[in-house]
Amino acid sequence: MREASFIKKNKKKWLLFENVLDKKEQISPDKLSDLYIEITDDLSYAKTFYPSSNTALYLNSLASKAHQKIYKTKKESKNRILTFFKTEFPLTFVAYHKQLLIAFLTFVVFAVIGAYSASTDGDFVRLILGDDYVNKTLVNIEKGDPMAVYKSISQGNMFIIITLNNIKVAMTAFVYGMLFSVGTLFVMMQNGIMLGSFLYFFYDKGLLWESSRTIWIHGTIEISVIIVAGCAGLVVGKGLLFPETYTRLTSFKKSFKAGLKIMVSTIPFFIIAGFLEGFVTRYTEMPDWLALCIIISSLTLIIYYYVIYPIKLTKQTKLHHGE
């Protein structure tokens, strides 16, 4: 490629990068990192084909300034955590709504399959939930307290056990994304079938409403963030399957970093879900209106933070920068 053509092709990108470094424009940290990688690639190309040119000198200067800006040691802001949850994560997550939708649809489809399978095969529920759980629940139903399982251990212990178990499931969904997304989809399938068969089991006993108003107190957030973890796994898988202009290793590193940020965002929600299951769900005698209030509030929180807020914040940011 002639040097003039090379400059014409990349000039706009270089000027954007220079303006960001000079604080004339603002972009997300991830986009800045992406631009830095592209600039260094362009620098390598220029050094190879135009080693003594002004283009190579210019790009070398840009890369040096960028390196100092991105990697220089500095104190983290006291509000770093707040900034992450308030702006940094939502601005990046909007790009992964497609993966979120895929994880959600996979989960729902297999939940329906789980319910249908339970309705056509009497042993399916025992196969999925285990004989021990089914037998204990049948005994509790006979005693008139079908949700007694949530009162079986102390509140504090249940909170810790449930929270750690949920995080384990979520991390599995995330890490299995390295199996080119197939592992993540398997985890979504597994948990969807489990939920569907669970709900049908209580429906078959005429207890669908009583079980739903109880389990969804904590399950609304719990299931939702497991699906979000599935989204993180699919992001990792996409980076491996579709590296685009990057090497597969670079693409994997970028996608893994993005997925890890998604996982960090779920930690507060898993704590909330664990708290609800450990300290609130056990009060099965609470009035329906209160249970519904908790369920609807939880669902609203999840939808707003992971769907509505990222879109809203992205639009506001684009308007602010005149895009």
Side-chain angles (χ1 to χ4, degrees):
M1 183 188 300
R2 292 180 178 273
E3 185 177 358
S5 300
F6 177 68
I7 293 172
K8 183 178 180 180
K9 178 181 177 182
N10 296 289
K11 183 178 179 180
K12 185 176 180 181
K13 174 178 61 182
W14 299 343
L15 289 176
L16 170 62
F17 194 64
E18 187 173 11
N19 286 337
V20 172
L21 293 179
D22 293 337
K23 298 184 178 179
K24 295 177 182 178
E25 292 189 48
Q26 291 184 341
I27 57 176
S28 70
D30 284 342
K31 188 173 181 180
L32 177 61
S33 181
D34 291 344
L35 276 176
Y36 174 68
I37 292 171
E38 292 180 32
I39 293 296
T40 54
D41 287 343
D42 291 344
L43 174 59
S44 297
Y45 186 90
K47 282 184 175 180
T48 300
F49 295 100
Y50 330 113
S52 302
S53 68
N54 289 330
T55 302
L57 291 174
Y58 170 72
L59 289 174
N60 187 65
S61 174
L62 271 186
S64 298
K65 287 172 64 176
H67 187 276
Q68 293 175 6
K69 185 176 181 67
I70 295 174
Y71 296 107
K72 68 180 180 179
T73 303
K74 61 181 181 179
K75 291 184 178 179
E76 289 287 348
S77 167
K78 293 179 180 178
N79 298 321
R80 180 68 179 86
I81 295 177
L82 179 61
T83 301
F84 173 81
F85 284 99
K86 186 179 179 181
T87 56
E88 181 181 337
F89 170 73
L91 282 174
T92 57
F93 189 68
V94 71
Y96 307 120
H97 277 175
K98 181 179 180 180
Q99 285 79 17
L100 180 64
L101 179 62
I102 292 172
F104 171 74
L105 291 177
T106 302
F107 188 94
V108 170
V109 166
F110 281 101
V112 172
I113 291 174
Y116 176 77
S117 299
S119 70
T120 57
D121 184 349
D123 294 325
F124 187 77
V125 172
R126 289 183 176 275
L127 177 66
I128 298 299
L129 301 180
D131 287 329
D132 185 55
Y133 177 82
V134 172
N135 291 335
K136 284 182 179 179
T137 303
L138 289 174
V139 171
N140 291 332
I141 291 173
E142 290 179 6
K143 291 179 178 179
D145 191 5
M147 297 290 105
V149 66
Y150 295 105
K151 310 171 187 177
S152 58
I153 60 177
S154 66
Q155 295 171 319
N157 286 339
M158 178 169 281
F159 165 67
I160 294 172
I161 292 170
I162 292 300
T163 301
L164 292 177
N165 182 68
N166 290 340
I167 292 175
K168 178 184 175 183
V169 173
M171 286 302 297
T172 301
F174 169 55
V175 173
Y176 277 20
M178 289 189 285
L179 299 176
F180 300 95
S181 294
V182 175
T184 296
L185 293 175
F186 175 78
V187 175
M188 293 298 99
M189 177 194 75
Q190 190 178 44
N191 283 272
I193 288 175
M194 188 179 297
L195 177 64
S197 59
F198 176 89
L199 291 174
Y200 182 82
F201 172 67
F202 283 100
Y203 167 78
D204 191 47
K205 304 300 177 183
L207 296 167
L208 180 61
W209 168 247
E210 184 172 350
S211 63
S212 294
R213 67 178 290 282
T214 300
I215 66 167
W216 288 112
I217 287 175
H218 63 271
T220 301
I221 292 180
E222 179 182 299
I223 296 298
S224 296
V225 288
I226 286 175
I227 292 172
V228 171
C231 167
L234 292 178
V235 169
V236 174
K238 180 176 181 287
L240 284 168
L241 287 168
F242 308 106
E244 298 178 345
T245 58
Y246 303 104
T247 64
R248 199 170 298 277
L249 178 59
T250 300
S251 179
F252 169 69
K253 289 179 179 178
K254 283 169 53 62
S255 63
F256 190 86
K257 179 183 176 182
L260 197 58
K261 285 186 176 182
I262 296 172
M263 291 303 299
V264 170
S265 79
T266 66
I267 293 175
F269 293 101
F270 274 126
I271 293 173
I272 294 171
F275 173 82
L276 289 173
E277 187 165 0
F279 293 90
V280 181
T281 300
R282 65 180 57 235
Y283 295 107
T284 55
E285 68 280 1
M286 75 169 64
D288 289 348
W289 67 266
L290 180 56
L292 283 172
C293 183
I294 295 172
I295 293 168
I296 293 172
S297 297
S298 297
L299 183 61
T300 301
L301 175 63
I302 290 293
I303 293 176
Y304 181 77
Y305 186 70
Y306 283 104
V307 180
I308 299 173
Y309 181 60
I311 295 173
K312 181 179 177 182
L313 187 62
T314 300
K315 287 181 178 178
Q316 289 176 347
T317 303
K318 287 182 177 179
L319 286 173
H320 178 71
H321 294 301
E323 296 182 19

